[in-house]
């Protein structure tokens, strides 16, 4: 397996790090998407009743994004610190 | 910044009340306070009698009727210029006019609508029937049978077979159905059936895939050829009929050029009549209580003295405990568009910090750091300048947004030069352009550190403003809490500096001690829940700083998407490559305009404002601006 990866210029360690970093961002993004979907649909419902709540709805929809940012931070740490 | 407000009492002789209200309405500087909510008002609330309330109701009804009539007329008569002053007799005449003319105007407007609809629909029927006519030449002159013209999408053509089978069963073969393609996607069909079976056939035709061409009633009994000829004749007559109806409407409406002016008079008069309910008065004197921008008190005094007379005076009043003045933001012109972004969340409370200037500084800066591409920035700048030029005479949220984008796009160009990005790496590939500072594609670590440094600075600034706010409002609890968070932040960065060998290890113990001290203070402040909430608050603080990593994340995503566009463009043949690259860059630009804006706003609303922002102010609504008069908050 390692030989195969090395043939295309990627070592096993680098490949695993890549998968790990991808999982860190990807899973966090799924969580964020799920939360934003639920908040967004509720937010649109609120906006039809009270359009002046736009600012608050943007704020509430944006809150779960911290999850994916933390996922990004973990991915970056995996690549920078472990990737050498 | 928030405009300083003064509380005033406008006091005068009852004979000058109407005149005073008219001047105040025109000046638009006084936010009314209901006298019954004003403990400092020198006079008791004015007792409004039934007659006054009835008059308000009558005028509201008249305004609604006039408004709906004016809305019916596409081009209301031109107003004579200024608002007319209407006497009781004028109002009576207006009421009589409305009683007499409303039915006539409604009838003419509906007639115009019908004619326009006919003009719109008949050419479509003529086209459909003309296409179907060759299918059934034998039916062209047929009388006595019912016909139905059907249109079916080609992919649902099988429905006609099913219809044929069902009709065979119901009508025992006493019908004819003929179909053919009328265009590429549509099959036209003509069904001929005995009129006695009309109801059964109608029920069968109510199918989703079948669209029945319903002819207007007067053409239903005609043969196809007759119907087409009649429709063409009607189409030729319509323009003259429309013009005649329009003329009749103009003749009816033109002599009433004062209607628009009367509507604006009614607005103004109703405002003034409604205001009376909020005043204080005795038999001889009245008082109007309200908030005025402190700088406008002299102007108010002078104008009233000049236009009403010395019988009306303006007195400054004492602001009572618990009374909160309304909020009016006033910032330097370049920062003014950002007021809309602050209002989008909520108005600040009177006496608190107005963050507009800080938003004007940081939002475009964050946007520029995230997008950071010379060409993308330049395109957005041109679009924003064009939008701003187009909306220059129309104050609106969109115009404000275009001005926000002018500043943001300018920063994006500047940071594009810093990163050396011109459509991603295209500038480097084609012209060898190099970054001034860092290449975002390669230098991820410095970019992350840069984002965290921005976060730390922004959050520290927020906490310092929070400390200032707590000092001004003398809220000791908040002061200690924010100082503890500042201490924690300083200790955390000291530890980070020690780990990176920038500071001696001897500082580690004091730094940890500082964090523990802050934690204990927060626990004590939190009371019973403090043991749980204090650690969460510290974790939240670290989360707030890390949240600024999105500045780096979005930038990296943008630069890689641009690179993908360039790689794909380079891999394909020239024409196709340019097309593919253009599409990808357009997508990246659309994302680059939207995401950094939302993220920059989020960093302000969530991370920054939570450290100092005191929301919940009531907007300054001066009398005369058409806003509903509300009792002042007490």
């Amino acid at each position: 397996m390692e030989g195969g990866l090395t043939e295309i210029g990627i070592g096993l360690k680098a490949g695993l790090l890549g998968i790990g970093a991808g999982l860190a961002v990807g899973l966090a993004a799924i969580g964020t998407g799920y939360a934003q979907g639920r908040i967004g649909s509720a937010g649109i419902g609120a906006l039809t009743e009270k359009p002046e709540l736009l600012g608050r709805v943007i704020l509430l929809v944006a809150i779960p994004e911290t999850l994916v940012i933390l996922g990004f931070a973990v991915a970056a740490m995996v690549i920078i610190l472990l990737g050498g | 910044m928030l405009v300083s407000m003064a509380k005033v009492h406008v006091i005068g002789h009852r004979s000058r009340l109407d005149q005073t209200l008219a001047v105040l309405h025109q000046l638009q500087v006084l936010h009314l306070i209901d006298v019954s909510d004003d403990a400092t008002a020198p006079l008791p609330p004015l007792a409004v009698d039934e007659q006054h309330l009835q008059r308000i109701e009558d005028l509201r009804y008249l305004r609604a009727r006039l408004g709906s009539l004016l809305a019916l007329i596409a081009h209301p008569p031109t107003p004579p210029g200024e608002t007319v002053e209407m006497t009781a007799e004028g109002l009576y005449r207006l009421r009589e006019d409305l009683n007499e003319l409303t039915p006539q105007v409604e009838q003419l407007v509906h007639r115009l609508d019908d004619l326009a609809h006919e003009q719109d629909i008949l050419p479509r029927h003529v086209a459909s029937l003309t296409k179907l006519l060759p299918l059934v030449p034998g039916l062209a002159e047929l009388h006595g049978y019912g016909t139905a013209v059907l249109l079916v999408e080609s992919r649902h053509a099988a429905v006609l077979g099913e219809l044929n089978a069902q009709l065979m069963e119901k009508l025992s073969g006493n019908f004819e159905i003929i179909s053919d393609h009328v265009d590429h996607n549509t099959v036209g069909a003509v069904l001929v059936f005995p009129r006695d079976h009309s109801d059964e056939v109608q029920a069968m035709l109510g199918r989703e895939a079948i669209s029945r061409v319903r002819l207007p009633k007067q053409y239903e009994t005609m043969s196809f050829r007759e119907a087409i000829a009649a429709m063409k004749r009607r189409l030729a007559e319509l323009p003259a009929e429309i013009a005649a109806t329009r003329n009749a409407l103009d003749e009816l409406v033109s002599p009433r050029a004062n209607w628009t002016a009367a509507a604006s008079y009614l607005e103004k008069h109703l405002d003034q009549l409604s205001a009376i309910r909020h005043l204080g008065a005795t038999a001889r004197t009245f008082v109007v209580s309200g908030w005025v921008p402190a700088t406008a008190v002299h102007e108010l005094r002078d104008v009233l003295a000049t236009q009403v007379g010395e019988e009306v005076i303006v007195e400054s009043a004492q602001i009572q405990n618990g009374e909160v003045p309304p909020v009016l933001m006033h910032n330097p012109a370049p920062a003014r568009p950002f007021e809309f972004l602050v209002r989008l969340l909520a108005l600040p409370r009177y006496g608190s910090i107005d963050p507009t200037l800080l938003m004007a500084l940081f939002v475009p800066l964050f946007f520029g750091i995230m997008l950071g591409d010379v060409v993308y920035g330049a395109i957005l700048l041109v679009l924003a300048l064009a939008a701003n030029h187009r909306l220059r005479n129309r104050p609106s949220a969109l115009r404000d947004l275009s001005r926000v984008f002018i500043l943001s796009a300018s920063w994006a160009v500047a940071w594009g030069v810093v990163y050396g990005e011109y459509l991603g790496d295209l500038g480097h590939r084609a012209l060898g352009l190099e970054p001034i500072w860092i290449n975002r594609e390669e230098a991820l670590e410095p970019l992350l550190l840069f984002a965290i440094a921005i976060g730390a600075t922004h959050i520290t600034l927020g906490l310092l403003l929070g400390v200032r706010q707590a000092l001004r409002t003398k809220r000791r609890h908040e002061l200690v809490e924010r100082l503890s968070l500042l201490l924690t932040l300083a200790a955390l960065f000291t530890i980070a500096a020690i780990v990176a060998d920038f500071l001696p290890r001897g500082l580690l113990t004091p730094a940890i001690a500082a964090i523990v001290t802050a934690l204990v203070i927060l626990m004590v402040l939190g009371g019973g829940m403090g043991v749980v909430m204090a650690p969460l608050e510290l974790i939240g603080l670290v989360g707030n700083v890390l949240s600024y990593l999105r500045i780096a994340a979005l930038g990296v995503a943008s630069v890689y998407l641009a690179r993908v566009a360039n790689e794909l463009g380079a891999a394909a043949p020239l024409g196709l490559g340019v097309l593919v690259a253009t599409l990808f860059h357009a997508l990246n630009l659309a994302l680059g305009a939207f995401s950094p804006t939302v993220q920059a706003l989020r960093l302000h609303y969530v991370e920054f404002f939570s450290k100092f922002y005191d929301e919940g102010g009531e907007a300054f609504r001066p009398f005369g601006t058409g806003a509903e008069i509300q009792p002042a908050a007490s």
Side-chain angles (χ1 to χ4, degrees):
Chain A
M1 169 111 180
E2 192 172 0
L5 287 168
T6 312
E7 272 172 29
I8 57 168
I10 303 170
L12 179 62
K13 184 187 166 192
L16 288 173
L17 285 176
I19 291 171
L23 281 175
V25 175
L27 292 176
I30 289 171
T32 300
Y34 177 74
Q36 282 191 324
R38 311 241 355 214
I39 296 169
S41 64
I44 293 295
L47 283 181
T48 54
E49 299 277 334
K50 285 189 168 186
E52 66 272 19
L53 290 179
L54 178 65
R56 285 191 184 281
V57 170
I58 291 176
L59 187 152
L60 289 171
V61 171
I63 281 176
E65 277 173 8
T66 305
L67 283 176
V68 79
I69 298 301
L70 293 177
F72 169 77
V74 171
M77 276 169 60
V78 165
I79 291 169
I80 294 168
L81 299 181
L82 302 180
Chain B
M1 65 190 80
L2 302 183
V3 172
S4 174
M5 290 283 165
K7 188 177 163 190
V8 295
H9 289 142
V10 180
I11 303 168
H13 194 268
R14 278 290 283 265
S15 61
R16 295 281 189 256
L17 177 57
D18 288 348
Q19 215 180 339
T20 306
L21 286 177
V23 172
L24 291 176
H25 193 273
Q26 199 182 355
L27 262 181
Q28 302 186 351
V29 293
L30 184 78
H31 176 109
L32 289 177
I33 304 173
D34 195 309
V35 163
S36 53
D37 295 329
D38 181 8
T40 59
L43 301 176
L46 189 149
V48 179
D49 55 18
E50 275 298 315
Q51 204 184 347
H52 183 84
L53 295 174
Q54 187 57 47
R55 185 166 162 70
I56 291 179
E57 281 311 307
D58 286 350
L59 288 180
R60 275 192 183 149
Y61 180 59
L62 195 60
R63 179 183 61 176
R65 285 189 64 192
L66 183 58
S68 53
L69 193 63
L70 287 172
L72 271 181
I73 307 165
H75 305 288
T78 319
E82 287 181 9
T83 309
V84 288
E85 288 299 323
M86 295 185 81
T87 57
E89 194 195 330
L91 287 171
Y92 174 77
R93 270 208 310 276
L94 176 65
R95 198 171 285 120
E96 290 295 302
D97 253 8
L98 287 176
N99 287 341
E100 186 192 334
L101 296 179
T102 303
Q104 295 176 45
V105 171
E106 278 175 356
Q107 194 185 3
L108 286 171
V109 169
H110 289 152
R111 175 88 187 123
L112 269 178
D113 285 348
D114 290 345
L115 292 172
H117 177 68
E118 219 178 332
Q119 202 173 31
D120 181 48
I121 205 79
L122 284 184
R124 289 191 231 167
H125 286 311
V126 170
S128 304
L129 293 183
T130 310
K131 273 183 189 167
L132 289 168
L133 199 56
L135 296 183
V136 280
L139 287 177
E141 307 295 346
L142 187 70
H143 289 273
Y145 271 83
T147 55
V149 178
L150 313 172
L151 295 176
V152 184
E153 281 183 54
S154 299
R155 62 199 171 103
H156 293 132
V159 167
L160 290 174
E162 287 175 38
L163 185 67
N164 194 42
Q166 287 186 25
L167 285 168
M168 188 65 82
E169 194 182 314
K170 294 264 182 198
L171 306 182
S172 315
N174 190 13
F175 73 95
E176 191 71 49
I177 186 162
I178 303 150
S179 65
D180 200 353
H181 280 274
V182 291
D183 62 38
H184 189 62
N185 293 321
T186 316
V187 174
V190 180
L191 170 65
V192 186
F193 55 92
R195 280 200 188 280
D196 308 345
H197 294 279
S198 198
D199 289 344
E200 293 163 62
V201 175
Q202 303 292 350
M204 264 185 262
L205 293 180
R207 300 281 296 263
E208 218 171 273
I210 299 177
S211 150
R212 183 165 177 198
V213 180
R214 286 190 183 278
L215 294 182
K217 215 171 181 59
Q218 64 266 39
Y219 306 105
E220 268 181 356
T221 54
M222 294 181 186
S223 70
F224 277 20
R225 207 184 295 284
E226 281 172 356
I228 292 171
M231 284 179 192
K232 284 184 174 168
R233 274 198 305 276
R234 181 71 186 139
L235 274 170
E237 292 164 7
L238 276 173
E241 208 168 315
I242 289 174
T245 314
R246 202 163 275 153
N247 281 343
L249 184 63
D250 283 347
E251 273 175 34
L252 205 60
V253 170
S254 309
R256 274 83 186 177
N258 62 343
W259 274 359
T260 319
S264 107
Y265 166 79
L266 284 173
E267 286 291 341
K268 180 181 138 189
H269 196 53
L270 266 169
D271 262 3
Q272 292 174 22
L273 282 177
S274 305
I276 287 176
R277 289 186 294 176
H278 304 280
L279 310 186
T282 60
R284 291 172 186 279
T285 326
F286 73 86
V287 61
V288 183
S289 191
W291 300 104
V292 183
T295 49
V297 176
H298 282 297
E299 183 200 357
L300 176 67
R301 209 166 263 149
D302 291 347
V303 172
L304 281 173
T306 319
Q307 296 190 15
V308 185
E310 300 295 332
E311 294 90 341
V312 177
I313 57 164
V314 178
E315 271 190 354
S316 293
Q318 195 71 36
I319 300 176
Q320 296 291 295
N321 262 347
E323 259 187 330
V324 185
V327 172
L328 175 65
M329 292 194 275
H330 183 76
N331 288 287
R336 225 165 282 159
F338 292 84
E339 288 177 358
F340 139 77
L341 294 178
V342 175
R343 278 197 299 267
L344 203 60
L345 183 68
L347 274 176
R349 272 179 82 79
Y350 183 81
S352 68
I353 295 165
D354 175 5
T356 307
L357 269 175
L358 292 164
M359 280 194 93
L361 179 68
F362 286 113
V363 169
L365 180 65
F366 288 178
F367 181 96
I369 296 173
M370 283 186 257
L371 185 59
D373 189 292
V374 175
V375 180
Y376 290 160
I379 293 171
L380 283 180
L381 183 59
V382 170
L383 292 175
L385 283 169
N388 184 49
H389 180 70
R390 211 176 159 155
L391 300 165
R392 65 192 179 282
N393 296 323
R394 278 183 285 174
S396 64
L398 268 181
R399 192 186 67 171
D400 286 345
L401 204 60
S402 71
R403 292 181 178 180
V404 169
F405 266 100
I406 289 173
L407 279 175
S408 304
S410 307
W411 273 114
V413 172
W415 280 95
V417 175
V418 172
Y419 300 140
E421 286 176 27
Y422 304 78
L423 285 178
D425 61 350
L426 194 63
H428 177 70
R429 285 176 185 221
L431 305 168
L433 296 167
E434 293 294 334
I436 293 177
W437 180 39
I438 49 171
N439 179 348
R440 288 198 290 183
E441 265 187 76
E442 292 162 5
L444 185 59
E445 198 174 337
L447 195 63
L448 293 176
L449 289 174
F450 178 51
I452 289 179
I454 292 172
T457 312
H458 209 219
I459 295 288
T460 306
L461 178 63
L463 284 169
L464 287 173
L465 289 171
V467 167
R468 178 170 171 257
Q469 178 70 9
L471 282 171
R472 274 172 64 173
T473 52
K474 295 178 181 141
R475 284 185 269 195
R476 237 184 291 171
H477 185 283
E478 281 177 21
L479 176 68
V480 178
E481 181 191 327
R482 281 159 192 171
L483 284 172
S484 305
L485 291 176
L486 270 174
L487 183 67
T488 309
L489 209 52
L492 284 173
F493 281 95
T494 306
I495 293 172
I498 292 166
V499 172
D501 287 336
F502 288 125
L503 287 174
R505 298 194 77 81
L507 287 173
L508 191 61
T509 311
I512 292 171
I515 293 175
V516 174
T517 309
L519 188 64
V520 171
I521 293 172
L522 289 172
M523 281 178 176
V524 172
L525 287 176
M529 291 296 289
V531 181
V532 182
M533 297 309 290
L536 287 180
E537 204 164 339
L538 289 193
I539 293 168
L541 182 69
V542 177
N544 284 164
V545 175
L546 288 181
S547 186
Y548 284 76
L549 281 175
R550 73 189 64 228
I551 291 177
L554 245 70
V556 170
S558 166
V559 74
Y560 272 101
L561 197 53
R563 185 175 170 173
V564 168
N566 294 337
E567 296 279 356
L568 284 176
L574 184 64
L576 182 66
V578 170
L579 182 70
V580 169
T582 308
L583 284 175
F584 267 83
H585 279 302
L587 171 72
N588 199 15
L589 180 62
L591 286 174
F594 180 72
S595 293
T597 312
V598 173
Q599 298 306 335
L601 285 180
R602 179 235 142 92
L603 286 174
H604 280 80
Y605 290 161
V606 181
E607 275 78 16
F608 188 50
F609 280 15
S610 61
K611 304 294 172 285
F612 69 93
Y613 192 57
D614 202 356
E615 66 179 50
E618 183 201 357
F620 177 69
R621 281 188 301 268
F623 177 50
T625 49
E628 187 70 20
I629 299 158
Q630 292 175 357
S634 56

